Amino acid sequence: MPEPEVSAVERSAISKVCWRLTPFIGLMFFINFLDRTAVSFAGPNGMTKDLGLNAAQFGFAAGIFFLGYILLEVPSNLALHKFGARRWLARIMVTWGIVALLFTWVSSVEGLYFLRFLLGVAEAGFFPGAILYLSLWVPARHRNKVLALFYVAQPLTIVIGAPFASALIGADGLMGLAGWRVMFFGVAVPAIVVGVIAWFYLVDKPADAKWLTAAERSWLTSELAKEEKAKGGSHNILATGALLNGRVWLLSFVYFGLIYGLYALAFFLPTIISGFEAQFGSKFSVMQKGFITAIPYLPAAFALVLWSRQAAKTGVKPWHVGLPALIGAVSIPVALYMNSPAATVAVITVTACAIFSALPNFWAIPARFLSGAGAAAGIALINTVGNVAGFAAPFITGWVKDATGSFQAAMLLVGGFMFLSAVLTLVVARQGESLGDRAAAPARSA
């Protein structure tokens, strides 16, 4: 009987992709997210004081990264489609590593703005490129699993990265540098090293993967070709069509709300924790603050995996994105009305779990109805709109905090944007087309 043989090939091919590519792309994403959020650890640990920053200036410095990213994101993803992921992702990583290294010697507010903008230009296209790359390796029924394994690197960046960054900050005086400068140096070097390795390690497509057997290469190539052909018609759109597609724009606004919550949390959580001393009289060392910052993200990593597994059983439905968005919308403003550090961190943990549960399920969607250059442009556009939130969230959060003297009003605004994401998922459902598509049917037994 041929079916068991096909199932065995499918199982082994997907397993090899999961273990060969996903951890490495996840490592790249880990370093990527650590480098872009390193400023959040530097700020309350000497940088804000040394450069004379107020909350609005800090928020602008954090957010201007995304303006640089937005300018080149779509062109970068189209270049990846043209030149191949191996070359392009490696090039992006080495470039941003070099720019990240320059933060070690930043000496003014203007210099910080410039380097944050330049870092965004250097990183442009990495995240949507990584999503596109992994989407081109597995059929849609397995994509949710692969993207969840990839996305777990983001919360783990804080779980591991916050104590790591704190340890580097604690090395104050090393090489004659302030601790926050040592931290910038320490998180930049791995990007350059791993970027060089990526040039030799990655493979552009299954047909070129020598670590797959001939049968596995044949099965993957055939399945992916069938899937591309099945998309056909209006879904098989060119890059220009993807940029004008109503569904792409609707998904972009869903993503905007999720990312607004993600980066408001990522950039200001260390500052909120540093404020516990004034708010509650609690005193923590730099390392303790690093571990407290990491607390919400470890449960978030588990929630991400478990929620994605649940979605894989039924296919992604609107509530797989909308329900976590709604929970996040309620919990994030509530957190700052708690009466102790422990209660505040506990509610923030709920928010982190909600945000990270929604994101990988969201990204399982676009490649199911976009292909070729349309997929490259559409995925990049969605991420570009998300990066508008990445700029707006830290800047507006900092500005509102300066204007009101606390984070409460700013977090209410964050909750509002996440509520918008929850509502828009219902709009998609009411249009008569679930977020899962036909291709999102549960994976058959392998």
Side-chain angles (χ1 to χ4, degrees):
M1 296 288 290
E3 182 60 28
E5 181 182 351
V6 171
S7 295
V9 169
E10 180 175 355
R11 186 188 309 113
S12 62
I14 297 302
S15 178
K16 286 183 180 179
V17 170
C18 285
W19 291 109
R20 171 84 185 196
L21 293 181
T22 309
F24 188 80
I25 298 294
L27 174 63
M28 296 173 76
F29 187 31
F30 175 97
I31 297 169
N32 173 260
F33 195 68
L34 182 59
D35 281 344
R36 73 170 61 178
T37 57
V39 69
S40 70
F41 303 113
N45 289 293
M47 185 187 75
T48 296
K49 180 180 178 181
D50 290 350
L51 300 185
L53 299 170
N54 60 32
Q57 289 174 318
F58 174 78
F60 184 78
I64 198 173
F65 163 93
F66 296 97
L67 293 185
Y69 201 108
I70 287 165
L71 287 176
L72 292 182
E73 184 160 18
V74 173
S76 179
N77 228 32
L78 291 174
L80 180 144
H81 177 71
K82 180 178 180 179
F83 298 114
R86 178 180 66 87
R87 293 183 180 91
W88 203 249
L89 291 178
R91 193 281 306 162
I92 289 174
M93 196 165 194
V94 171
T95 304
W96 101 54
I98 292 170
V99 175
L101 196 62
L102 298 178
F103 280 83
T104 307
W105 299 282
V106 67
S107 59
S108 66
V109 175
E110 294 76 17
L112 180 65
Y113 291 164
F114 175 73
L115 285 179
R116 286 291 295 176
F117 177 83
L118 195 60
L119 184 65
V121 170
E123 285 193 23
F126 172 77
F127 178 76
I131 293 288
L132 176 63
Y133 177 67
L134 291 173
S135 297
L136 295 175
W137 272 85
V138 293
R141 60 184 176 273
H142 297 289
R143 203 164 287 142
N144 175 271
K145 174 184 177 181
V146 170
L147 292 179
L149 290 173
F150 161 72
Y151 228 109
V152 78
Q154 194 170 42
L156 289 181
T157 300
I158 309 299
V159 173
I160 300 170
F164 176 60
S166 297
L168 291 173
I169 290 169
D172 187 68
L174 183 67
M175 300 182 291
L177 299 171
W180 62 270
R181 296 182 185 277
V182 175
M183 185 272 297
F184 275 125
F185 184 91
V187 300
V189 171
I192 300 170
V193 174
V194 174
V196 172
I197 295 171
W199 182 277
F200 302 98
Y201 185 84
L202 295 181
V203 182
D204 283 324
K205 55 185 183 293
D208 298 334
K210 295 180 181 179
W211 40 269
L212 293 172
T213 66
E216 290 162 349
R217 285 196 298 270
S218 176
W219 180 83
L220 274 173
T221 302
S222 173
E223 286 293 305
L224 291 167
K226 288 178 187 175
E227 202 169 87
E228 288 295 298
K229 185 177 179 181
K231 290 174 184 177
S234 62
H235 283 172
N236 191 16
I237 58 180
L238 299 175
T240 303
L243 298 179
L244 299 175
N245 184 276
R247 192 178 183 203
V248 170
W249 277 100
L250 184 58
L251 291 172
S252 297
F253 291 124
V254 173
Y255 191 57
F256 178 95
L258 296 174
I259 293 302
Y260 196 99
L262 173 67
Y263 282 113
L265 195 64
F267 285 121
F268 279 97
L269 181 56
T271 301
I272 291 170
I273 290 170
S274 292
F276 283 167
E277 182 173 351
Q279 187 177 2
F280 302 114
S282 306
K283 295 185 178 180
F284 302 104
S285 68
V286 172
M287 183 58 73
Q288 287 173 327
K289 291 175 185 176
F291 281 115
I292 293 170
T293 301
I295 287 173
Y297 293 92
L298 185 58
F302 284 105
L304 181 157
V305 173
L306 293 175
W307 193 247
S308 296
R309 285 182 179 177
Q310 201 289 327
K313 293 178 181 178
T314 61
V316 178
K317 298 293 191 293
W319 54 270
H320 285 119
V321 178
L323 180 59
L326 182 60
I327 293 171
V330 173
S331 61
I332 195 164
V334 168
L336 295 185
Y337 289 93
M338 296 294 100
N339 58 7
S340 71
T344 303
V345 172
V347 180
I348 288 174
T349 299
V350 173
T351 303
C353 289
I355 293 171
F356 286 106
S357 293
L359 287 171
N361 290 308
F362 174 88
W363 277 116
I365 302 161
R368 290 174 176 151
F369 70 98
L370 295 169
S371 63
I379 290 172
L381 173 63
I382 292 169
N383 200 51
T384 296
V385 174
N387 281 328
V388 172
F391 167 73
F395 176 65
I396 293 174
T397 300
W399 181 82
V400 174
K401 195 269 181 184
D402 279 343
T404 63
S406 73
F407 281 104
Q408 273 85 354
M411 293 301 110
L412 283 170
L413 187 59
V414 174
F417 279 114
M418 292 193 67
F419 181 75
L420 176 65
S421 291
V423 171
L424 289 178
T425 59
L426 297 179
V427 174
V428 173
R430 288 179 65 85
Q431 288 179 340
E433 188 168 10
S434 107
L435 287 172
D437 252 44
R438 286 189 300 272
R444 64 176 181 270
S445 264

